[in-house]
Amino acid sequence: MSEHPSTGQWQLPGIVSGLRSAREQWRTRNGRSSGEQGGRELPSREALRQILEQLCGALFPMRLGPVDLREESEDFYVGHTLDTALTALLAQARLELRYAARHGNTEVADVDAHALRLVQDFAAALPGLRVLLDTDVLAAYHGDPAARSVDEVLLCYPGILAIIHHRLAHHLYRAGLPLLARISSELAHSATGIDIHPGAQIGQSFFIDHGTGVVIGETAIIGERVRIYQAVTLGAKRFPSDESGTLHKGLARHPIVEDDVVIYAGATILGRITIGQGSTIGGNVWLTRSVPADSNITQANLQLDCEGKKAL
């Protein structure tokens, strides 16, 4: 067989050899010297993308399903789509659990059976997740005077796409499939600019208006009927580490936002602090301490407080 015409132009044999060497070095340093000889061992972003698209269609068939769907065939479409999506999800769950077992991150005796139970539980939770998502859609409709209908909200609002992904991802995260959950969240992040870690706990009737640049950390807890705007960060103030400099994992390091709070654009709220029920946090506020219920925090009153002229 003759040499591919571009091989000489790009000096590919040497590059391929160099890349193989880099892979081998990485695998040796990280205890992966055997490579992935049995094939790909990690879940696939593209597979998750298709699964999530199918799940969105099954949850909202007449809005996010196929263009030619008719109401009389709704149940057939939902059943067929769920069968396809859940079967594919099961394959991805097995990949994650097998990977975790190979690397000593799990002690599950029968990985395949455990994956099946997890996906069965996920399937059973879908009706409840649909009811919960309905509260989010209504919150967006009632919270935005520009929204003309709930259908417009569902079809157009990036915050709704992000929260659909989050509700699904959060269930996977709590079930013990954190990698699938994180991939699901990052797919929404890529599409919307809204970064919600799947570990974050979010109550019903949650509305993100506009959305671009929103960041919600892993251990954040958000109550019911909370509304936030673009470029809001619910983040960590610091990252404790051990003597070797390794970061401690799993610490509660993100804010608690109680019910009926509104957080306006550009606000940055850091650390394990509590924003009391019914509070309003103004635009571009930088907040690192708790505030009581019904607070109205603005840049102006924070500045006065820092100067000792006025207490919150």
Side-chain angles (χ1 to χ4, degrees):
M1 181 180 294
S2 63
E3 186 179 70
H4 190 282
S6 66
T7 300
Q9 180 179 353
W10 305 119
Q11 304 298 312
L12 292 182
I15 297 171
V16 170
S17 176
L19 288 171
R20 181 177 67 250
S21 177
R23 291 195 306 271
E24 290 171 351
Q25 290 175 28
W26 186 90
R27 287 167 176 164
T28 299
R29 286 196 305 269
N30 292 277
R32 310 281 184 85
S33 56
S34 61
E36 298 177 86
Q37 297 175 6
R40 183 188 178 105
E41 66 171 5
L42 290 167
S44 161
R45 282 177 62 97
E46 183 55 36
L48 261 293
R49 189 190 310 277
Q50 294 176 12
I51 290 166
L52 288 164
E53 183 176 343
Q54 292 164 341
L55 290 172
C56 287
L59 286 166
F60 299 96
M62 298 303 292
R63 299 297 177 268
L64 303 181
V67 295
D68 58 349
L69 183 64
R70 297 293 179 264
E71 190 171 353
E72 58 269 21
S73 57
E74 221 177 353
D75 283 349
F76 175 82
Y77 163 76
V78 170
H80 175 75
T81 301
L82 283 179
D83 183 50
T84 301
L86 294 170
T87 300
L89 181 62
L90 175 60
Q92 297 302 307
R94 285 172 171 162
L95 282 173
E96 175 169 352
L97 292 178
R98 289 171 185 168
Y99 174 85
R102 278 194 296 271
H103 295 284
N105 298 326
T106 180
E107 297 180 358
V108 177
D110 189 337
V111 166
D112 288 356
H114 184 55
L116 177 59
R117 286 193 296 271
L118 293 183
V119 177
Q120 287 172 334
D121 290 344
F122 176 81
L126 289 173
L129 290 174
R130 163 63 202 248
V131 172
L132 183 56
L133 286 165
D134 283 343
T135 72
D136 301 320
V137 172
L138 285 173
Y141 173 66
H142 292 305
D144 184 2
R148 297 177 182 272
S149 68
V150 293
D151 300 317
E152 178 186 353
V153 165
L154 189 56
L155 288 169
C156 302
Y157 281 40
I160 293 300
L161 176 61
I163 196 63
I164 292 173
H165 276 237
H166 175 74
R167 300 292 188 197
L168 297 170
H170 184 66
H171 184 100
L172 295 172
Y173 181 88
R174 295 186 63 186
L177 294 167
L179 182 55
L180 293 186
R182 191 63 187 268
I183 293 172
S184 300
S185 293
E186 289 304 323
L187 289 170
H189 182 196
S190 298
T192 66
I194 298 169
D195 183 1
I196 310 177
H197 192 284
Q201 301 176 47
I202 301 178
Q204 66 179 13
S205 302
F206 181 59
F207 176 34
I208 303 174
D209 201 359
H210 306 297
T212 304
V214 165
V215 177
I216 301 175
E218 177 186 17
T219 62
I221 300 175
I222 299 174
E224 298 181 356
R225 299 174 300 280
V226 170
R227 184 165 80 249
I228 66 177
Y229 289 79
Q230 68 272 20
V232 165
T233 296
L234 303 181
K237 184 178 180 181
R238 60 177 61 90
F239 304 98
S241 60
D242 60 22
E243 295 179 354
S244 67
T246 302
L247 293 179
H248 291 297
K249 304 286 187 177
L251 298 178
R253 59 196 183 278
H254 300 104
I256 298 171
V257 179
E258 295 185 343
D259 297 346
D260 302 301
V261 169
V262 179
I263 306 174
Y264 284 100
T268 299
I269 303 173
L270 302 179
R272 192 56 161 190
I273 64 175
T274 298
I275 307 302
Q277 181 174 356
S279 293
T280 298
I281 309 300
N284 298 312
V285 161
W286 180 280
L287 193 60
T288 58
R289 57 185 171 128
S290 297
V291 298
D294 300 314
S295 296
N296 185 9
I297 307 300
T298 66
Q299 286 185 326
N301 61 27
L302 278 176
Q303 181 65 31
L304 287 172
D305 182 48
C306 289
E307 294 171 355
K309 297 178 180 178
K310 180 179 179 182
L312 294 177

